[in-house]
């Protein structure tokens, strides 16, 4: 009788282990942010030990950098796969542009659940890596500008670049919310919005103004000074990278002096978000008093753009750093944000009744994204010029 021996199966490392790690890390960073994810969290999600994870990545930053840059690499690769048109006719350029946008939309939708990494969490990248990211997006805009220049020969290169930025921003807006829609239908909606932006952008874009020398500010309450300093730092570097000591130093206080006005850094953030929500709610209330829908929507758009340009740091903190608040504050702020979107969706429905509520919601989010990105791109232009130039781009995004 032969002897049968039990053998322990040999566990082999999957060939795609690195890709599995990156996919799990992308979800974790997108859902919780860079600072709230530990390497052990990623290892647990993949089902490996932390030591095994460190065989692939030396540290969390290296893993994060790989994930963040991979997102834009995949969009760039999708665009590069589209043949550059040889014809110079408007018809050929239009066809090339639509195929190109379809490729960008498809790649973006494939990464929709994790795309917020390169939008908001990219602030956590080191300067040299942010330059790489910016270079890839600049190349993507130039790719769109190829057929765009044929269709819009009236636009100078800078204006065409900003139009391409706005078109890509409209597409990227799907990473900022979770409204559901069949992919094919959504792809057409986003592509048409991007085409409208390129077709209707007015030139020339406002030029950068002279270096502004800030006039001495009148005496302010310490609480206001601290809030403004905190908002500026949160917007520039992200909430988690700013310390109470830095905020205190910016207004000439010791850290203990901050606690006489705020219980901590989180209260500064909460107060900033509440201030932003109140400003947007007041703008919507004023606009909704008008019975003529188109005029009401115009007033709402003007107010939103004005807030984004004049208080760009506050707007960025309000949209990017809500996730740093505690759970109850997050829920409350999210409800306020959704209510503001609902006001826009209702007004847009009066102006464009042929769209259903989901389509309008996607276009409203696209419009918000476009305004946010253009307010940053035009931050050195005179405020009045920037606002006037952005408004028709927003209208084109909405299709009104």
């Amino acid at each position: 009788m032969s002897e049968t021996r039990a053998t322990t199966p040999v566990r082999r490392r999957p060939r795609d282990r690195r890709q599995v790690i990156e996919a799990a890390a992308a979800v974790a960073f997108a859902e919780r942010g860079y600072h709230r994810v530990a390497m052990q969290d990623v290892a647990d999600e993949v089902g490996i030990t932390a030591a095994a994870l460190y065989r692939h990545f030396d540290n969390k930053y290296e893993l994060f950098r790989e994930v963040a840059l991979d997102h834009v690499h995949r969009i760039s690769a999708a665009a590069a796969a589209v043949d550059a048109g040889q014809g110079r006719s408007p018809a050929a350029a239009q066809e090339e542009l639509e195929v190109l946008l379809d490729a960008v939309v498809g790649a973006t939708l494939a990464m929709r659940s994790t795309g917020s990494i390169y939008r908001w969490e990219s602030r956590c990248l080191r300067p040299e890596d942010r330059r790489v990211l910016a270079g890839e997006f600049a190349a993507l805009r130039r790719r769109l500008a190829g057929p765009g220049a044929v269709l819009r020969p009236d636009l100078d290169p800078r204006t065409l670049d900003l139009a391409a930025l706005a078109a890509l921003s409209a597409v990227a807006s799907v990473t900022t919310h979770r409204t559901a829609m069949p992919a094919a239908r959504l792809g057409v909606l986003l592509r048409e919005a991007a085409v409208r932006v390129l077709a209707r952008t007015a030139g020339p874009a406002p030029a950068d103004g002279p270096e502004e020398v800030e006039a001495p500010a009148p005496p302010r309450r310490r609480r206001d000074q601290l809030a403004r300093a905190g908002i500026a730092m949160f917007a520039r570097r992200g909430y988690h990278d700013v310390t109470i000591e830095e905020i205190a130093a910016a207004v000439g206080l010791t850290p203990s002096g901050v606690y006489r006005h705020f219980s901590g850094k989180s209260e500064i953030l909460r107060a900033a978000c509440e201030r932003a929500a109140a400003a947007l709610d007041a703008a919507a209330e004023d606009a909704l008093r008008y019975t003529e829908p188109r005029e009401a929507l115009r007033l709402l758009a003007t107010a939103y753009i004005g807030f984004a340009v004049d208080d760009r740091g506050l707007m960025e903190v309000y949209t990017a750093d809500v996730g740093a608040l505690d759970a109850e504050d997050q829920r409350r702020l999210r409800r306020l944000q959704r209510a503001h979107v609902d006001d826009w969706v209702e007004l847009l429905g009066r102006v464009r009744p042929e769209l259903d509520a989901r389509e309008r919601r996607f276009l409203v989010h696209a419009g918000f994204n476009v305004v946010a990105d253009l307010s940053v791109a035009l931050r050195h232009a005179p405020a009045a010029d920037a606002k006037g130039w952005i408004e028709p781009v927003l209208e084109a995004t909405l299709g009104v």
Side-chain angles (χ1 to χ4, degrees):
M1 182 171 134
S2 63
E3 183 180 359
T4 303
R5 295 185 179 180
T7 58
T8 302
V10 177
R11 295 186 62 187
R12 291 184 171 82
R13 185 184 307 169
R15 293 182 180 179
D16 63 346
R17 171 64 57 78
R18 188 179 176 94
Q19 288 76 20
V20 172
I21 292 170
E22 290 177 11
V27 173
F29 289 135
E31 290 181 349
R32 284 174 275 164
Y34 174 73
H35 291 278
R36 291 189 171 184
V37 174
M39 289 289 269
Q40 186 64 58
D41 297 330
V42 179
D44 291 344
E45 184 64 31
V46 177
I48 59 176
T49 64
L53 179 57
Y54 281 107
R55 284 199 290 271
H56 295 275
F57 296 96
D58 290 339
N59 51 58
K60 184 174 79 167
Y61 180 80
E62 183 187 329
L63 174 57
F64 174 70
R65 175 189 179 278
E66 190 75 15
V67 168
L69 294 182
D70 178 63
H71 277 66
V72 68
H73 291 337
R74 289 162 68 180
I75 296 173
S76 297
V82 177
D83 292 335
Q86 301 302 314
R88 295 290 87 187
S89 71
Q94 183 71 30
E95 181 180 359
E96 180 187 352
L97 177 64
E98 292 184 4
V99 173
L100 191 55
L101 285 169
D102 281 339
V104 171
V105 168
T108 303
L109 291 179
M111 300 182 292
R112 185 181 179 189
S113 62
T114 57
S116 60
I117 292 174
Y118 71 79
R119 177 156 185 81
W120 300 125
E121 294 302 309
S122 62
R123 292 178 301 180
C124 301
L125 289 171
R126 293 168 184 162
E128 62 272 21
D129 294 325
R130 284 201 298 271
R131 286 192 289 272
V132 172
L133 194 72
E136 291 241 20
F137 276 115
L140 189 57
R141 296 197 303 273
R142 288 194 296 272
R143 182 68 181 86
L144 278 183
V150 178
L151 296 168
R152 295 299 309 276
D154 56 311
L155 298 183
D156 62 273
R158 178 170 177 271
T159 303
L160 188 57
D161 181 68
L162 286 170
L165 182 152
L168 291 171
S169 179
V171 173
S173 66
V174 295
T175 66
T176 66
H177 63 102
R178 293 294 172 260
T179 305
M181 182 184 291
R185 183 177 167 198
L186 176 54
V188 172
L189 187 75
L190 293 172
R191 186 235 298 156
E192 289 178 347
V195 168
R196 281 197 305 271
V197 167
L198 287 163
R200 291 167 52 180
T201 293
D208 292 346
E211 187 77 21
E212 292 186 7
V213 179
E214 191 171 341
R220 303 180 63 90
R221 294 170 57 210
R222 281 296 195 189
R223 183 180 173 87
D224 293 338
Q225 290 179 332
L226 288 165
R228 290 173 70 87
I231 290 166
M233 292 180 186
F234 297 158
R236 187 167 61 252
R237 292 158 47 198
Y239 171 81
H240 291 284
D241 275 347
V242 178
T243 65
I244 280 287
E245 289 76 11
E246 291 172 313
I247 298 172
V251 299
L253 284 178
T254 61
S256 61
V258 176
Y259 294 110
R260 288 196 292 271
H261 304 277
F262 292 97
S263 62
K265 190 173 68 165
S266 62
E267 189 184 351
I268 297 176
L269 175 61
R270 184 173 64 249
C273 291
E274 289 171 348
R275 178 182 149 201
L280 294 174
D281 185 61
E285 189 174 342
D286 288 342
L288 289 168
R289 288 197 184 104
Y290 282 77
T291 56
E292 202 287 304
R294 185 66 186 83
E295 179 63 14
L297 187 61
R298 188 192 66 78
L299 288 172
L300 190 55
T302 300
Y304 191 87
I305 293 168
F307 183 42
V309 171
D310 293 334
D311 245 326
R312 182 170 53 84
L314 179 57
M315 178 70 90
E316 185 163 341
V317 168
Y318 179 59
T319 53
D321 287 317
V322 171
L325 295 171
D326 64 40
E328 182 54 38
D329 285 332
Q330 279 191 54
R331 283 191 289 271
R332 188 166 54 82
L333 265 298
R334 299 290 187 199
R335 285 196 297 269
L336 292 174
Q337 289 177 338
R338 283 194 294 271
H340 186 66
V341 172
D342 289 343
D343 290 336
W344 278 78
V345 171
E346 179 192 346
L347 272 180
L348 184 57
R350 298 183 201 170
V351 179
R352 296 196 62 189
E354 78 280 6
L355 299 177
D356 68 28
R358 284 187 302 175
E359 291 171 324
R360 299 196 304 270
R361 191 169 295 274
F362 272 100
L363 291 180
V364 166
H365 280 291
F368 287 177
N369 225 43
V370 167
V371 170
D373 285 343
L374 289 180
S375 69
V376 173
L378 295 172
R379 62 190 175 277
H380 299 304
D385 295 346
K387 294 172 192 175
W389 192 82
I390 293 172
E391 187 163 343
V393 182
L394 172 57
E395 290 180 343
T397 307
L398 299 174
V400 299

